[in-house]
């Protein structure tokens, strides 16, 4: 599972897309701490996720997902000891 994922070797890049909304905040932070420990020098984590338009998170009771705000993502990345190098909105959305 994503909650237990712990790569066995160092990597240059990890790409996460539309999966983090299935992690509670505690697992989100622990996940990124594990990944950052497995990055080669100069390696990066890339995240592509849906975000809410305001500062509120939205829980979907049908699929048990949690769509977080940009601010909440930033707080969780900081809690995991990460620095955001770049952030952009996908064109057309």
């Amino acid at each position: 599972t994503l909650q237990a994922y712990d790569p066995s070797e160092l990597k240059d890049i990890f790409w996460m897309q539309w999966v983090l909304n299935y992690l509670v905040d505690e697992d989100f932070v622990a996940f990124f701490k594990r990944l950052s420990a497995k990055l080669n020098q100069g390696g990066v984590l890339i995240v592509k996720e849906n975000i809410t338009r305001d500062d509120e998170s939205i829980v979907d009771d049908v699929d048990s997902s949690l769509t977080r705000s940009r601010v909440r993502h930033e707080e969780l990345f900081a809690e995991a000891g990460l620095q955001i190098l770049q952030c952009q909105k996908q064109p057309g959305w």
Side-chain angles (χ1 to χ4, degrees):
T1 66
L2 195 57
Q3 292 87 339
Y5 179 67
D6 192 6
S8 59
E9 56 188 52
L10 295 176
K11 306 283 186 184
D12 292 324
I13 188 170
F14 288 99
W15 181 294
M16 285 71 52
Q17 181 170 334
W18 301 322
V19 296
L20 302 176
N21 55 331
Y22 295 102
L23 295 176
V24 296
D25 289 354
E26 180 180 303
D27 290 333
F28 184 110
V29 171
F31 175 73
F32 278 102
K33 285 182 177 181
R34 287 192 307 275
L35 291 188
S36 65
K38 298 296 175 104
L39 279 174
N40 284 319
Q41 183 70 24
V44 295
L45 302 166
I46 297 176
V47 174
K48 182 177 181 180
E49 283 293 322
N50 293 330
I51 60 168
T52 60
R53 292 187 177 164
D54 54 26
D55 288 340
E56 297 296 319
S57 295
I58 299 172
V59 176
D60 185 326
D61 292 327
V62 174
D63 69 3
S64 300
S65 66
L66 172 64
T67 304
R68 296 173 176 89
S69 67
R70 179 177 173 165
V71 170
R72 187 62 185 144
H73 276 97
E74 291 170 353
E75 291 169 348
L76 293 172
F77 291 138
E79 192 176 330
L82 301 174
Q83 175 186 5
I84 297 172
L85 300 177
Q86 183 178 353
C87 184
Q88 68 185 67
K89 183 178 179 180
Q90 180 175 334
W93 292 91

